[in-house]
Every structure is written in C-alpha cells, then in structure tokens.
C-alpha cells in the first residue's frame, strides 16, 4: 500500500494577536511560529500507521517556501519514507485550486494507492485542496475521514457528519481521503528523531520540472483571490450578567438561544 | 434570465437547517441581483420535502433515484454538472457541511467554476458577488474576489444566515431528467452510524457543563447533570473534581486532561486555573459562574455571573424547563 | 554504552531504599527497584516501557539521594522516558508540553510575545536591549504565564528594586529552562533549550543569575555548563539582603506559618535555611515545622513533568496530606518557595475542602505583605 | 668509568610468565652484545636454588664483578638476590634487578616488541650497575618496650602478651579507665556470655604485671626516633607531657559508632522513639525496658552508616548483623508479645556459630524484613517506617513504638590526628591502613608500628582479640634480636656544598634532617632516614644525594636507555 500524504506549513496563531500587513491582503508573519498543519499531522500519522500494518511506502509532499523543509523533515522523522518538496516563488498567491494543480503535477510521477491530506489547513481553512486534487487526478475521494480500514482493492472508511453521526463507505483504490483530526493520536516527534533524518534526501521540484507554466499557478492560475483581510470585531472580558436570580436566568436563556442551544 | 441555484441538503428524510439558511440568503441575493432562485433537491422519497422547499423558491428541481438515496458525491456531482450546463446559473450555493465539503470542490473543478468555501457572508457589489470567509481559525476575515466567470460557487457556513426571514414564493416543482451511465460501485454507501450512547466524549460535545471544586460535594452533581441533559450536553470538570473521583478522568478539561472546543461552555465553580483555561478557552461561547469576581475564569468567559452556583444552577434548570415547556 | 551500563544497573543492591522512599510508590504502580531489576534481567529498557507508573515519577530524586550504592534511579526513569519520547510513545498531554516548548519556548504552548504579560506596569529592563545589569532575573515559564503566579515575579522585582539591586530579564527571549523537559525524557529538546538560554545568558553580559523557581535553579546549576556564572535561587539572595539590612519590614504578619521544602531546593540542593531565615525575619510570624521537613520533606508531586502528566496513581495526593498535616498542627498558612509546589498545594487545599482555612503562599507574598507592598 | 667492569646478566623465564612472551634465546644473544657484559645466560626460574647457584658460581669463579638479574619486579625478589650474592661475600648493592615481567611480558602479546623492550631495559640496567658503589647496613640497639595506644580489649590483650613475653609496656588510654567499648557491651554473641566478666579478668591479669606503666586520661601527641628507638610524647589529663622511650608501637584505638544524625531520614535526635543499637545495649543491660510490657512494636534498621555511599561509608561494619540478632532475641525474651522486626539488606553471619545464632533469633519470633527503609517519621504516638518489602515487591509502612538504628563503626575520634602523629597512613575510610591486606594485616608502612582491632577496620571481638595477639608478637620481633638493622640507602650531605637553608628539613616526612647549629650545615639522622629521596630532589644546591641513587647512577641508567 503506497501512500502519498500532502502536508502544509502553517503559522500557529492560537494565542497571537494577528496583524494585517501593508498589502492588506495577508498577515504579518514576523514573530510567528510555524509548524505542520494540525490536520496534516493526523494524516501523516495515519499514513505511517497504515504502512506499519500493511507495508508499502509513505511519501510526504508539500508545496511551499524553502522553510517548508522543516515540516517535511518532521514527516520523515514521524515515519515517512520519502519526501518531495515543490518550491517555486511563481506559485506564491495560488488559491486552493492552483495548489491542487501543482500537487497533481507532482504526484503524477509517484506511484500510489491512496492519498491522504488533512481536511483543511489552519491558515486559510478552505477544506478544498484535497478534494480538488482527487478530481484533477480522476480518483474517488472522501472528506472528514475518521477511520480507515484497508481491504483488498478497496478501503472501508468512516466519515464524520453533523450531529454526532457518521457514515460508513467503501471506496475503491486508488482514492484520496481528507483526514479529520482525532482519527488517531499522532506520535511525538522528538528532536533526536528529527536529527536522525537530517541527512535524508528531500526531492525538490519547481514549476519547470513539473511541466507547469507560470500562468497555471499563482494569481493568474487561481479562481479566487483574497482582496483584503481584517480582524473580526472583538469584545474584551466577560459581560457580567446581573440582577435577580430570575433575571439572570432569563439573560442566560438568551445566550443559550443565541448559541442555538435551546 | 440566469438564476441562483441552491442545493438543498437532507439526511434520513429530514431537511437540514442549512438548506433553509441558504434559501433565505438565496432569496436576498436573488432580489439584489434580480434573478430567480432555484432549489435543487436530489434523493429518494423526497416528495414531501419538495413541497416544503418549493414554498421558498421560484423553481425546485427534483430528481429521485436509488443512487441518490444517501448522499454520495459522485452521482450528485454528475446530476449537478448536468443541471449547471443546462441551466447556466450565475451562482451556486451549497452548505459547507460534510455534504458540501465532499461535493463542491470536485464539482467546481470539473465544471471550471470558481469556488469560495466556508463563507459567512455574501455581498453583491454591482455585478460582482463578493463572499467573505474566515481565516486563521477565525482570527481574520477575508474578502474574496472571484475570477470572472459565467458561474460562481459558494459554500456557506452553517448558522451564518438566519432562516427566519424566509419569504413564501411558492415556486414550481420540475422533475430533472437525467440518466446515470454508471453504477458508482467504486464508492458505496454502507450505513449511518450513530455515536454510541453513554460513551461520553467531551471533545465531541457541543455543550459542556463543567464543574469545579466549587461544587463542594459529589452529592451536588445530579442537579448539574440535569441541566446538561436539558441543554443536550454533557458534564465536564476541572482537575480537582477528577482528582476526587467525583467524575472520571475522561471528563477533565485542561492541559492534563482534554482540550475542548464546544459551542457552549458553562463553567460552574471553576476559578480558572491556568491549565484549565488552556483546555477550554476556544469554546465559542463561555459562561462562567463563580462567587469570586476576580476569578480568572472571567477573563476568558463571554458572560459571567458572580454568584453561588448552588443558587444559579437550580434557577437555570427551572428556566430551561419553562422555556422547553416541560 | 548501553542502557544497563549507563545507569549502572549491574551495581544495584536491590535493597529497596529507592522504592521505600519514593513519594508516590504507595499510591502509584511505580516500583523503581523492581523496574531496575526488570531492565537488568530483560537486558534492555524495552521491557519496562509499558510500566504504567513511568509518568508518576516526580523526579524528586529521593531514590538517587539515598541510594547506598550511589546509583541514580531517578535518572533510570528519565532514561526510560527518553526511550518513549524517541519512539513517540508519550501521553498526549506530554506531547503538548513538549511541542509547546519546541515551538513557543514554554510547556503550555503560550505565545512567546505574551511571556512578559506578568510584568503589568512593573519596570524591568530587558538585558541586551537596554544595557547591562549585575543580575539576570530568570522568571521561568509558570510565573510568566500563570495568572496565579504572575504576582510572584512582580513582587520580587519590587523587592530587588527596594534593595537597590541592579537587575534585568531576558524579556520575550527567555525560553523554558528545560529542567522539566529533560525529566520528561526529551533530551534533544533540553539540549536545544540549554544552548539557546546559554547563548542569551552570555549575550546579556551578566555573570549572576537569579531564579524564581527551584527547578530553573536546579538545571542551571547542575545541568547547564555555566562556567563563571553565579546561580542563585531568590531565597538565597533575599536571606542575605535581610541579614545585611537591605530589606526591612514595616508590617507584622501575625500568622502561624509552616514551611514546605520544595524538593529541587531542599533535598536536591540542601537549601533548607535561607527560606526559613526569611520567614523568621518577618515580624509577628511564627514559623512551624512539619515533622517531614528538610531532607524528609514530602514531595508535592509537581515535578518531573507531573504538571503535564496525570500519572496512574490513585488515592490521597501528597499535597492533600501536606495540607491536612498543616491544618492538624494549627498552621494558618503554608509557605513555600516554588511555583509548582504552590499550585499543587493549592489544589490540595481545594480538594480537602481546606481552601479557606489553609491558604498557600509563596514566601515572596508574605515578604510583600510585611514590606507593605499592597499593590503588587 | 676508569675501571672496566665485568657484568653478568641472568635472564629468568619465570616459567611461561616471561618465557612465553619474550624470545629469551634471542634476548640472551642481544644482551651479549652490550659492552662489558661477560655473561648472558638464562634459567627457567632464577629464584630457584639452581638459578641462584649459577650466579654464585660465576661470582666464585671471579668471572663477574657486577650482577644483573632480569626477571620480576624488585618488590618480589630483589631481597632474594641480594641475599644470594651476599652469601658469596659480594656486596649486595652491586646488584641490579631489571623487571622484564611486569614491564614487558605481562603487558603485551607482541613477542618482538616485548623482547626489544626487555633488551632496552637490560641495557639500562647494565649501564647503571657499573656505576654502583658498595654500601653497608648499620645496626642499632633496641629499647624492649612497646607503646600500646588504647586500653580497650585489643590493647589489653596485646599488652598482656608483651608483658608475659618478658618485655615492658607503656599503655596509654584516653578514658579514665581501661576496657573501651567492651565495657558497654552486655552479653556477647553467639553464646550470650557476659562480656564484663571476661573483661574484668583480662584487666586484672594485665595489671598484675610489673612491667606495665599505664597512663589513663592521656593521649600520644608526638613521636620521634626510629624502630627500636622511638621517643613518644604523652599528654596527660593535666596537660603536662611526659616522654617515654620505646622500641615499638601498637595502635589499638578502636572505633566510634556512626553518628545517626547524618542519616536525617531516620529522625534520630528528633524523636525519643528513635535510638541506636548502642543505646539499646545500655537499655537492655540496665534492665529498664519493659517495666510495663512496653514497647510492643520494635523495629531494628540495619546498615545505618554502613554499606552506604550516600554518606561515604562503603564498607560493611561486620558486627551489626549479630548485634541486632542478639538485641532482638533478648528483647523478644524480655517482652514475649512484642513484635520485633529487623530491616536488613543482607544478613552477614560469617563467624563461627553466627549463622546458627541468626537462626535462633529468627526462631524466637523476630521478623526479618528484607528492605532498606527510607523514611521514619512521626504519626500519632508511633513512628512510621516507610520501606519496601523487596521480597514481596511491595512498598509498605510499619508503625513502631521504638525504632533502633543499627549503627556501624567509623574511625575513632582523633584517628586522623594520631595517624598523622605516628606517620602512618589512613585508608580511604580513615582507618589505619595495613601494610598488605592479606600478607601484612598487622603491619603498617611505618616500621615498628603495628595495628590491632577496630582502628584498622570494623571487626568483632574474636577478630579483635586474634589481631591483638598477633600484633603483640609482631611488635616484639626486634626485641628478640636485640638490634635493628638499617638499610644503607639513605641521604647523604656534601657539607662543602650545603648552605643550611633548611628546605630539606621542611620536606622530610620522617624528621630525619636537622641543622647542625654549630656548623650551620644540615645533617642526616641515618637511622631515621627512609631513603625516599625527597630531600635530594628539593635541595637547591644539589648538596644532598641519595646513596644508591646518586645523580651519576641515575644518569647512567637513563643513558643506558638512550644509547
């Protein structure tokens, strides 16, 4: 079972007060800490687990700047066997559709049975690249996958639906699955582990080697562009609900109602 | 005249809330762009739903087939591709749901339609439809521009548009005539699985009623459980409560327990030890109840009640019951 | 050198002193003596990796301090954890702590830019930005970020200022000292932190380091290679300042206070007296002693990564025992000199229902009270 | 080098020890080429009669005037061969031993390299031997009195033996009465006989001898002279000092019990419910225990202060296992319904009848728990002991009314100072170091100084008594000869060059160098000089040289290597 897993390097923004940069279209990256996209981490772990159980090879692939090497090395340390990194400044400004095109071009030269990606990326949150890639490659797919069971020539999966429901499907290989967080418990990747793969080869590609022309990627090759970004309006601290017990309870009911709880 | 196409979503014979939300927004957009609103309803045995949906749109395109019985993006994609080719809508709306996430990207890709996903707002500026979406886990909003094209597609975030304002249009039901040319054996639906009852996973719950040391005694837990049940949620706790074995470890929220992100988090008698806050601060709505007005929990909560939880819980239970008419 | 040789397992007498003294052995599935035996007989650490008690160890080091053969059982645990870390087989909460430290320089994964959040309006110069100072005050992760603890460094800064001490901090450049990281078995990460901090220490131009936490103090003084640096825990400096008359008290603290010795200050470094000298110097304060004090002090279970690992232990926590003992002897306050002890003891006070009767205080909080710092 | 010497080189195979790793035949031929070597021959064992006969034969025939034996190390057989050549009226200091065993055959498997190195060493030896000069030993008269330091059981026994052999004894005891620790012991193991009776009898016998001079409440504070002719300074209770002339010394200063406060985890000194075996011995002896059937729960903890690197005492104190067995047994007899437990790591019952006694204690109902307790702390009116029963593999707690710490032995108070005063050597634990652990257990590295009892290391009564008898015999060996023979390898001073600066005096560990006030030159007290050479190395003007190791002789050695 040969598996390709697509990963992305994203900033960790959970605690950060993000700033809009001077273009107005992206955030200031200075001082931000980057790492592998959380969903992709589950995908890599799942790929490695499948390999450990069924044999085969795991190839990690990423599209991004030279710094993306850190996440690809991390994937190698976690257990991926090979790594491909597509780096080309001309791909900057690509939307999900254009990125999927780059990935599709890169994947054409790699044999695979299944492709795993994260459901979405922490940064743009599009949940679009994986499924688009499947379409470009002409293979079936399933999103929000919470369980994978490898069978002969097909894969039995569970995918998460709303309201605590799941559905079970069988999909013939080759196929692509976007992995939901919580599908497994990703193992820890130690510094020693990363040091051990420091010398491992990472294959690098650019648009030229992939046979893509500049107008197929970047803003020109994209369907959407981010025109501007802006922080959502925020309030500070708790709004204290005061009054008699009954009044307070009534106010809480309003909150419940607004939150769609009752 | 071009139209706005809304793909309605349903599961196991029930219309999903998102469908009505989209229809509501669709009506508004149709008005603004002077277009007609067309709903698409695919499935098996959906006639009664069609009757409901047609009230809110100009046209409803219905197709029934065994292959459409349960959502499978492959046959759906083929039907929708056909419809888009036929009807040339200017805008297609779908939910950013398990359903839409599976379907929209390949459909858009195959049809060459620009797609914007997970949008919480759609504006019309002149001829342009401008979707807004969130990035960086909600820390930034983005105004997205589409490449010019005859048709655009948008998936809509659930809960973004109120369904209340739906207007009655009472459109006509039209049957779609489309012939499947394959059996889609490469992707088969097997069954729906419901999360096992009693198997409490606080990370999956939408509503968490969390208790801390302020609960005083395990004897006071039942009233909190009652409230959780009324709200369709489960009870979670802070470390001291788990340490006391009043609740199992699996219910503990915090760095040494679980990290949760429910829609609603009510913290009773939790002062807000730092390690606890780290586990729950990303909840969508946080209500904190604590005697101490300086309790750190109030710094992350959206709403606070400075009072004894022993007083607050019963009054809330009573009030919820009253609202529910029970 | 293999694991058995490195940890001198061949030399173990199997006397049981380690397990007998272990503060968690009575309530957790951790028996360090038998674990060492297992590894010796199994010939490799692999045989012990599934032991459920591995994350119960608080690395208080009683076992190591008392081993009659001079072995280091607590390091065997660290070694076993290192094996788990390298294999990626660690609990989720530990993973979060390690990754948080790797990415953000603190085990809570809080943003680096918020590391100076504790300051409030306290003026502290940032070394290498705003010139040099005599002392580098290393705040530590918990006091930097935990709202309950953020007061502690603020108080110390105020005291140092009052005593005319020239000091500064590393500001947002400060990273986790790595004491707990090493004890969670992440040797590689510890080495990186050590390298980074050492580089910053050197760049600061300072030759004396002061710590809030005994844990930072421990690793700087025994696990870093800080040749030419003086490293002190704040209690040492404060005791001296009081002796020299640089600090004077204006208010009485009329309380019976019992002092809890933190393992990384007391047992492991024999700093028993400076904290007591500080407390005794506070007017009106009556210092009580636990029966289990000094070398026999009962570990609070906050060390060795236990802040991020639940462990498998059951039954009464040591912090609860501590709070009850203090209550029984008529103490009105438990004082300690370690951020972790403070937090675990406060938990103990909550779960025993003695929160009201038995407040837990950092020594610095009592000093602040006696110095009349009401607004810190 | 005016005279041409005739050197005989005798190479030893030492069986296979040397023969197996050095090509002896080749070596013999190589040695023949060294200038002035007239005989180069080999023997299976040079130290054998046959080997020695060959050397003697060559001397008898006048073939050689210098002898080199290439064999083992000088420590092993230098004396043998010196004696061998003396028997032919040949000065033994014209003999040179070359070590080709420890230096060559034992340290390499490369036969060629070893053979070559042996050749080099022999070449150096030959070069040196030609520069050696004849030297003659000196004899001194002996004062047939032994100074016995310590009036405990070892001192009493040793002194008595010496007196009974007809010599005199000066006995110095620090306390105001004789008896030492034996006075504080009730019954001895394994026969539970009262030690006091035995001790009283021994003291009476000792004091019946007329040759005994006893100093009580006194200490030895100074020592000078040399074997057979020492002068000891004794400080008495009133701080006055006296000097005594003596011929030999026996140290029998005993031990001190380990201070249990150094193991703070056992709460000794903090609670009256924690005592040591020393105090338990007194309690048992006084009969004050159990006036009301208490204590009911007694726990003994073994190895307190012994076998413990954490406080620096790695050694076993050897007696504690039996002391505890005895005390536990007696306690059980005294309070039959008491629960008596003994925490132990190993039970070392090595002496005659000891294992049987240990079993007797067990059978009396004493519970032996294998585990080294880690903590003792107060819990209500009991002391709680935290330990692991290592046989059950279970960490546990035991609540006791009385905890008895079985304290080990440490060097006696003032041992370090006394070692210094007597110019003896301390072992790593601070006890007196014996000359050889197996072959010289009663000797020290200082001639004329002997050791008996626990000053050398922990031991029980039988071993102490045996050592005391032995030390008495060793200390009187000179006395039977009426003289001491002094080796001639001593420092010598060229008075023409010496400036009397005194640097050598300060460096000498044996107090052998003094300034001749009249001549303003240093002089060597040859009887005291040990020939260590430190003074020669220190002398800034080169006035001092060490006989047998004069600069010319050492240089010749070095040149031999380099040639």
């Amino acid at each position: 079972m040969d598996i390709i897993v697509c990963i992305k390097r994203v900033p960790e923004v959970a605690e950060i007060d993000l700033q809009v940069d001077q273009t107005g279209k992206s955030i200031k990256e200075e001082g931000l800490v980057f790492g592998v996209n959380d969903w992709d981490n589950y995908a890599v772990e799942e790929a490695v687990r499948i390999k450990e159980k069924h044999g085969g090879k795991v190839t990690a692939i990423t599209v991004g700047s030279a710094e993306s090497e850190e996440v690809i090395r991390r994937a190698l340390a976690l257990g991926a066997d090979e790594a491909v990194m597509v780096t080309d400044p001309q791909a900057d400004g690509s939307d999900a559709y254009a990125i999927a095109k780059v990935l599709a071009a890169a994947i054409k030269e790699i044999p695979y049975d299944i492709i795993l990606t994260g459901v979405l990326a922490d940064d743009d949150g599009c949940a679009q690249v994986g499924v688009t890639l499947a379409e470009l490659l002409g293979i079936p797919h399933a999103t929000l996958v919470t369980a994978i069971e490898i069978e002969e020539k097909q894969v039995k999966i569970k995918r998460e639906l709303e309201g605590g429901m799941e559905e079970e499907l069988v999909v013939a290989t080759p196929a692509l699955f976007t992995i939901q967080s919580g599908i497994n418990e990703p193992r820890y990747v130690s510094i020693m582990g990363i040091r051990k793969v420091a010398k491992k080869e990472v294959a690098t590609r650019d648009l030229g080697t992939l046979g893509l022309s500049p107008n197929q990627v970047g803003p020109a090759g994209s369907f959407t562009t981010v025109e501007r970004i802006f922080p959502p309006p925020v309030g500070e601290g708790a709004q204290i609900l005061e009054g008699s017990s009954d009044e307070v309870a009534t106010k809480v009911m309003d909150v419940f109602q607004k939150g769609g709880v009752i | 005249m071009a139209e706005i196409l809304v793909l309605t979503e349903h599961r196991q014979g029930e219309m999903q809330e998102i469908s009505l939300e989209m229809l509501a927004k669709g009506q508004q957009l149709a008005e603004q762009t002077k277009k007609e609103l067309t709903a698409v309803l695919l499935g098996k045995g959906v006639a009664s739903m069609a009757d409901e949906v047609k009230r809110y749109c100009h046209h409803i395109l219905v197709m029934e087939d065994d292959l459409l019985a349960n959502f499978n993006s492959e046959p759906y994609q083929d039907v929708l591709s056909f419809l888009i080719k036929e009807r040339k809508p200017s805008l297609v709306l779908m939910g950013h749901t398990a359903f839409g996430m599976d379907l929209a990207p390949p459909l858009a890709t195959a049809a060459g339609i620009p797609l914007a996903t997970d949008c919480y707002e759609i504006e019309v500026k002149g001829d342009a439809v401008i979707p807004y979406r969130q990035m960086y886990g909600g820390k930034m909003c983005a105004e997205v521009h589409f490449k010019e094209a005859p048709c655009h597609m948008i998936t809509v975030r659930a809960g973004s548009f109120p369904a209340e304002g739906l207007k009655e249009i009472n459109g006509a039901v039209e049957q779609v005539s489309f012939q499947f040319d394959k059996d889609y054996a490469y992707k088969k639906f097997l069954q729906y699985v419901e999360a096992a009852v009693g198997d409490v996973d606080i990370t999956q719950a939408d509503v968490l009623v969390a208790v801390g040391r302020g609960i005083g005694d395990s004897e006071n837990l039942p009233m909190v459980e009652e409230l959780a049940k009324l709200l369709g949620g489960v009870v979670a706790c802070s470390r001291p409560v788990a340490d006391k074995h009043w609740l199992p470890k699996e219910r503990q929220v915090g760095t040494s327990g679980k990290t949760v992100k429910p829609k609603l988090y009510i913290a009773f008698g939790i002062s807000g030890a730092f390690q606890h806050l780290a586990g729950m601060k990303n909840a969508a709505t946080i209500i904190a109840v604590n005697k101490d007005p300086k309790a750190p929990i109030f710094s992350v909560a959206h709403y606070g009640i400075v009072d004894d939880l022993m007083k607050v819980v019963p009054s809330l239970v009573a009030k919820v019951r009253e609202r529910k008419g029970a | 050198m293999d694991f058995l040789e490195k940890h001198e397992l061949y030399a173990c007498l199997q006397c049981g002193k380690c397990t007998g003294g272990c503060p968690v052995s009575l309530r957790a599935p951790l028996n360090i003596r038998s674990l060492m035996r297992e590894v010796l007989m199994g010939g490799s650490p692999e045989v012990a990796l599934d032991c459920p008690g591995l994350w119960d160890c608080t690395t208080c080091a009683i076992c190591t301090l008392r081993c009659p053969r001079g072995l280091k059982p607590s390091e065997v645990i660290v070694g076993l954890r290192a094996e788990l870390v390298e294999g990626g087989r660690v609990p989720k909460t530990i993973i979060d702590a390690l990754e948080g430290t790797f990415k953000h320089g603190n085990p809570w994964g809080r943003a680096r830019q918020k590391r100076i959040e504790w300051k409030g309006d306290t003026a502290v110069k940032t070394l290498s930005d705003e010139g040099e100072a005599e002392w580098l005050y290393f705040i530590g992760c918990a006091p930097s970020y935990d709202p309950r603890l953020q007061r502690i460094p603020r108080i110390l800064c105020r005291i140092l200022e009052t005593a005319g001490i020239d000091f500064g901090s590393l500001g947002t450049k400060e990273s986790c000292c790595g004491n707990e990281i090493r004890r969670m078995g992440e040797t590689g990460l510890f080495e990186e932190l050590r390298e980074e901090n050492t580089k910053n220490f050197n760049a600061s131009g300072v030759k004396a380091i002061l710590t809030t936490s005994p844990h930072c103090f421990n690793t700087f003084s025994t696990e870093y290679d800080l040749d030419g640096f003086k490293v002190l825990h704040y209690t040492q400096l404060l005791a001296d300042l009081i002796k020299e008359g640089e600090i004077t008290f204006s208010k009485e603290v009329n309380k019976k206070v019992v002092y809890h010795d933190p393992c990384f200050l007391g047992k492991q470094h024999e700093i028993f007296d400076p904290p007591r000298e500080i407390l005794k110097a506070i007017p009106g304060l009556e210092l009580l002693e636990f029966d289990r004090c000094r070398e026999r002090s009962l570990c609070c279970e906050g060390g060795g990564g236990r802040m991020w690992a639940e462990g498998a232990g059951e039954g009464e926590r040591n912090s609860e025992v501590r709070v009850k003992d203090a209550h029984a002897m008529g103490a009105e306050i438990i004082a300690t000199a370690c951020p972790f002890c403070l937090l675990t003891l406060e938990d103990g006070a909550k779960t025993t229902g003695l929160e009201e009767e038995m407040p837990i205080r950092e020594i610095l909080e009592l000093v602040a009270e006696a110095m009349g710092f009401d607004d810190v | 080098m005016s005279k041409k010497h005739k050197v005989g080189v005798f190479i030893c195979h030492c069986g296979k020890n040397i023969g197996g790793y050095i090509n002896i035949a080749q070596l013999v031929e190589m040695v023949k080429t060294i200038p002035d070597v007239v005989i180069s021959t080999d023997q299976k064992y040079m130290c054998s009669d046959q080997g020695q006969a060959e050397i003697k034969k060559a001397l008898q025939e006048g073939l050689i005037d210098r002898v080199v034996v290439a064999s083992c190390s000088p420590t092993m057989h230098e004396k043998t061969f010196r004696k061998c050549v003396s028997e032919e009226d040949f000065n033994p200091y014209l003999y040179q031993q070359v070590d080709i065993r420890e230096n060559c055959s034992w340290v390499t498997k490369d036969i060629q390299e070893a053979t070559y190195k042996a050749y080099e060493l022999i070449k150096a030896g030959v070069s040196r031997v030609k520069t050696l000069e004849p030297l003659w030993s000196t004899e001194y008269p002996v004062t047939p009195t032994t100074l016995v330091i310590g009036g405990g059981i070892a001192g009493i026994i040793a002194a008595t033996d010496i007196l009974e052999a007809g010599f005199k004894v000066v006995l110095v005891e620090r306390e105001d009465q004789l008896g030492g620790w034996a006075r504080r012991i009730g019954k001895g193991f394994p026969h539970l006989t009262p030690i006091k009776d035995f001790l009283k009898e021994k003291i009476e016998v000792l004091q019946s001898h007329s040759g005994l001079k006893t100093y009580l409440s006194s200490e030895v504070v100074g020592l000078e002279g040399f074997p057979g002719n020492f002068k000891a300074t004794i400080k008495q209770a009133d701080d006055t000092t006296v000097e005594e002339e003596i011929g030999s010394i026996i140290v029998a200063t005993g031990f001190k019990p380990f201070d249990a406060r150094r193991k703070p985890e056992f709460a000794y000194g903090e609670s009256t419910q924690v005592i040591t075996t020393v105090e338990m011995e007194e309690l048992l002896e006084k009969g004050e225990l159990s006036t009301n059937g208490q204590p009911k729960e007694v726990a003994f903890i073994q190895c307190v202060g012994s076998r413990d690197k954490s406080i620096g005492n790695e050694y076993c104190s050897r007696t504690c296992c039996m002391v505890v067995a005895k005390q536990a047994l007696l306690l059980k007899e005294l309070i039959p319904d008491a629960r008596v437990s003994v925490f132990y790591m190993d039970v070392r019952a090595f002496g005659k009848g000891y294992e049987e006694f240990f079993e007797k204690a067990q059978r009396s109902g004493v519970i032996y728990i294998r585990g080294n307790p880690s903590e003792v702390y107060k819990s209500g009116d009991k002391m709680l002991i935290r330990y692991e029963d290592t046989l059950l593999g279970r960490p546990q707690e035991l609540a006791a009314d009385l905890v008895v710490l079985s304290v080990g032995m440490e060097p006696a108070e003032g041992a370090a100072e006394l070692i210094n005063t007597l110019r003896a050597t301390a072992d790593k634990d601070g006890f007196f170091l014996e000359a050889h652990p197996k072959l010289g257990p009663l000797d020290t590295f200082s001639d004329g100084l002997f050791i008996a009892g626990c000053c050398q290391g922990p031991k029980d009564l039988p071993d102490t008594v045996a050592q005391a008898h032995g030390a008495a015999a060793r200390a009187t060996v000179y006395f039977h000869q009426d003289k001491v023979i002094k080796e001639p390898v001593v420092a010598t001073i060229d008075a023409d060059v010496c400036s009397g600066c005194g640097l050598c005096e300060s460096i000498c560990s044996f107090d052998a160098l003094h300034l001749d006030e009249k001549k303003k030159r240093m002089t060597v007290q040859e009887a005291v000089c040990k020939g260590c050479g430190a003074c020669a190395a220190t002398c800034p003007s080169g006035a001092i040289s060490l006989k047998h190791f004069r600069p010319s002789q050492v240089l010749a050695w070095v040149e031999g290597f380099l040639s």
Side-chain angles (χ1 to χ4, degrees), chain B:
Chain B
M1 186 163 90
E3 63 190 357
I4 295 173
L5 212 62
V6 169
L7 177 65
T8 57
E9 191 175 322
H10 55 90
R11 188 191 306 137
Q12 291 178 297
E14 270 190 50
M15 183 57 59
Q16 303 287 72
E17 183 74 12
I18 183 81
S19 303
L20 300 176
E21 291 168 15
M22 283 191 287
L23 287 169
K25 187 65 189 173
Q27 286 183 347
Q28 194 190 338
L29 291 171
E31 243 171 67
Q32 286 174 302
T33 57
K34 308 205 167 38
K35 288 181 177 139
E36 291 203 324
L37 180 62
T38 302
V40 178
L41 179 60
L42 310 179
K44 179 74 184 170
V46 293
S48 61
M49 271 186 268
D51 287 341
E52 197 204 337
V53 172
K54 73 173 187 191
R55 292 163 56 198
Y56 309 122
C57 51
H58 301 98
H59 309 274
I60 173 160
L61 311 176
V62 179
M63 175 170 168
E64 302 219 23
D65 192 294
D66 284 342
L67 284 170
L68 298 169
N70 292 297
F71 170 73
N72 179 344
S73 64
E74 307 282 337
Y76 269 69
Q77 185 181 330
D78 287 346
V79 177
L80 284 164
S81 289
F82 164 77
L83 287 175
I84 290 168
K85 219 179 274 171
E86 284 287 286
R87 303 184 66 94
K88 299 189 173 50
S90 64
L91 182 65
V92 180
L93 296 183
M94 269 183 235
H96 191 73
T97 57
F99 187 92
M101 283 164 82
D102 228 31
L103 173 58
L107 174 63
T109 303
I113 301 171
L115 163 71
T117 56
D118 196 18
C119 299
Y120 68 91
E121 182 57 285
I122 304 166
E123 277 181 13
V124 177
K125 275 189 192 158
D127 287 344
V129 170
I130 301 188
Y132 289 83
R133 52 192 311 282
Q134 289 195 330
M135 298 175 78
Y136 301 106
K139 293 208 153 201
M140 278 289 164
C141 300
E143 177 185 331
V144 177
H145 283 196
F146 280 124
K147 192 172 198 171
E148 264 198 35
C151 176
H152 294 126
M153 191 182 297
I154 292 172
T155 65
V156 170
R157 176 176 286 195
S160 301
F161 307 112
E164 283 87 27
L166 271 173
K167 290 176 200 147
E168 298 270 347
I169 298 175
N170 284 320
V173 176
E174 297 169 30
Q175 295 297 323
V176 176
S177 61
F178 177 77
Q179 210 59 41
F180 288 110
D181 59 359
K182 52 188 170 206
D183 62 0
Y184 305 100
Y186 54 87
K187 186 172 172 186
K188 272 195 304 239
F189 170 87
L190 296 179
Q191 60 174 336
Y192 288 114
V193 192
E194 201 141 352
V197 181
D199 201 24
V200 174
D201 181 355
I202 57 170
T203 64
Q204 298 299 318
D206 283 341
V207 176
L208 283 178
V209 180
V211 290
R213 176 206 38 86
I215 188 79
D217 200 287
S218 60
E219 286 173 12
N220 300 323
L221 275 173
M223 71 175 186
V224 180
E225 269 157 7
E226 190 186 355
L227 178 65
K229 213 170 146 194
L230 284 169
L231 297 174
V234 292
V235 176
C237 65
S238 67
R239 179 166 160 162
V241 172
D243 287 350
K244 282 262 183 202
H245 300 293
W246 290 348
L247 282 169
K249 276 265 145 64
E250 298 84 67
R251 304 279 189 108
Q252 184 187 321
V253 173
T255 50
S256 60
K258 292 192 166 144
T259 301
V260 296
K261 217 170 155 182
K263 286 189 180 134
L264 175 66
Y265 191 90
I266 318 178
F268 286 112
I270 295 175
S271 61
F274 176 64
Q275 64 97 8
H276 181 81
L277 300 186
M280 47 63 76
K281 62 179 192 302
N282 291 321
T285 303
I286 299 169
I287 305 176
V289 181
N290 204 294
K291 276 192 285 192
D292 177 9
K294 280 194 249 162
I297 188 86
F298 290 124
S299 70
V300 301
H302 303 98
Y303 302 95
I305 300 166
V306 183
D307 204 348
D308 188 350
L309 73 97
M310 300 299 289
K311 279 197 285 180
V312 178
V313 178
S315 75
L316 287 183
V317 168
K319 192 61 96 180
V320 178
R321 280 209 177 129
E322 186 189 309
R323 287 284 172 108
K324 287 199 156 189

Side-chain angles (χ1 to χ4, degrees), chain C residues 13-26 31 33 62 65-70 291-292 295-296, chain D residues 264-267 270 307-310 345 370-378 386-388 390 393 395 397:
Chain C
L13 189 56
Q14 288 290 306
C15 74
K17 185 131 187 150
C18 44
T19 300
C22 173
V24 300
S25 67
L26 279 178
N31 182 327
R33 176 200 55 78
I62 280 199
L65 293 167
R66 295 194 181 152
C67 175
R69 280 284 169 88
D291 182 63
R292 301 169 83 171
E295 293 92 343
R296 287 181 297 149
Chain D
E265 67 262 36
F266 294 137
E270 289 173 36
R307 302 178 69 191
D308 190 349
K309 273 189 188 168
S310 76
M345 296 199 278
R370 191 185 180 280
N372 185 352
S374 206
E375 305 230 337
V376 174
Y377 57 91
K378 204 155 180 60
R386 284 266 278 115
Y387 69 99
E388 183 198 2
T390 58
E397 286 174 334

Side-chain angles (χ1 to χ4, degrees), chain B residues 213 243-244 255-256 274, chain C residues 93 110 310 317 350-351 355:
Chain B
R213 176 206 38 86
D243 287 350
K244 282 262 183 202
T255 50
S256 60
F274 176 64
Chain C
T93 51
R110 297 285 312 275
E310 265 314 294
R317 287 176 174 276
K350 285 176 189 172
T351 51
E355 195 185 9

Side-chain angles (χ1 to χ4, degrees), chain A residues 15, chain B residues 274, chain C residues 110-121 143-147 150 154 172:
Chain A
E15 277 221 351
Chain B
F274 176 64
Chain C
R110 297 285 312 275
R112 179 172 287 281
Q113 65 191 52
K114 300 206 170 159
R115 199 171 179 106
I116 47 172
E117 197 183 67
W118 64 273
K119 278 190 189 175
D121 44 19
S144 293
Y145 291 109
D146 190 325
Q150 287 174 337
R154 283 203 298 271
T172 54

